[in-house]
Amino acid sequence: MEQTVQKQRVAVYCRVATGSEDHSASLAVQEAYYTEMVGQHPEWELAGIYADRGIAGADRQNQKEFKRMLTACKQGGIDIIIVRSVSRFARNTVDCLEAVRMLKACSVGVIFEKEGISTFEKSGEVVLSMCCEFARKESETITRNLIYPVWRRS
């Protein structure tokens, strides 16, 4: 008697901060990359690609696709979320940890590819907290440089 193994339903979350054509191309590249990646794991099936375009990481209110993905998780349609980096998921440590804890309560893990962090691991949340803080500082630096360029500070 052959036993069927249920595949893990894997969603991908992508976010690009501006609506420019370069970023749209980047988003298309990310979507293709992650579709292929999920396809290379026979134990996975793609549960969807959720992509917010032209949205800043600190602007959680307008991240419609992020919210839609969380709803799918709460409804039991997703087991794993893959995201390129912590900074694409959240720029605010509190928001990030709240989302990760909510997902964990729904038995959904998050894999942050760039940082090599998985919330399935015990140390994941501690390392994630540090990475979120670095992402927040990076966002502040970018904003400060846009408002008051480096060449004008001297």
Side-chain angles (χ1 to χ4, degrees):
M1 184 172 183
E2 192 176 310
Q3 199 165 19
T4 313
V5 176
Q6 186 173 349
K7 291 186 174 196
Q8 295 285 297
R9 295 158 300 176
V10 179
V12 175
Y13 179 68
C14 303
R15 181 182 58 77
V16 290
T18 68
S20 74
E21 286 184 33
D22 288 344
H23 286 268
S24 294
S26 168
L27 190 56
V29 169
Q30 287 179 57
E31 289 173 352
Y33 170 79
Y34 286 111
T35 299
E36 183 178 333
M37 173 200 254
V38 171
Q40 290 177 354
H41 290 82
E43 70 280 12
W44 288 357
E45 68 180 4
L46 187 61
I49 296 178
Y50 299 83
D52 282 311
R53 294 165 177 83
I55 306 295
D59 189 10
R60 185 68 85 202
Q61 285 300 106
N62 291 320
Q63 293 177 336
K64 290 177 177 53
E65 287 294 290
F66 187 85
K67 290 177 184 179
R68 194 169 73 83
M69 179 182 68
L70 294 183
T71 298
C73 291
K74 290 175 186 175
Q75 294 172 346
I78 296 172
D79 301 305
I80 301 169
I81 296 170
I82 299 175
V83 63
R84 184 172 151 252
S85 69
V86 172
S87 67
R88 299 292 91 192
F89 190 77
R91 292 281 177 123
N92 176 306
T93 305
V94 173
D95 285 349
C96 184
L97 293 178
E98 282 178 356
V100 164
R101 288 174 183 157
M102 184 281 299
L103 291 166
K104 196 178 278 188
C106 297
S107 300
V108 176
V110 183
I111 298 171
F112 299 93
E113 186 183 31
K114 180 181 171 186
E115 294 85 1
I117 299 170
S118 170
T119 62
F120 290 113
E121 298 170 5
K122 289 187 184 252
S123 63
E125 195 169 303
V126 173
V127 176
L128 183 58
S129 296
M130 291 186 296
C131 289
C132 283
E133 188 59 24
F134 289 128
R136 184 187 66 76
K137 291 298 261 181
E138 178 185 30
S139 180
E140 285 177 1
T141 300
I142 290 167
T143 300
R144 189 172 43 250
N145 287 343
L146 289 173
I147 293 169
Y148 195 59
V150 175
W151 58 268
R152 293 192 63 193
R153 290 187 212 153
S154 46

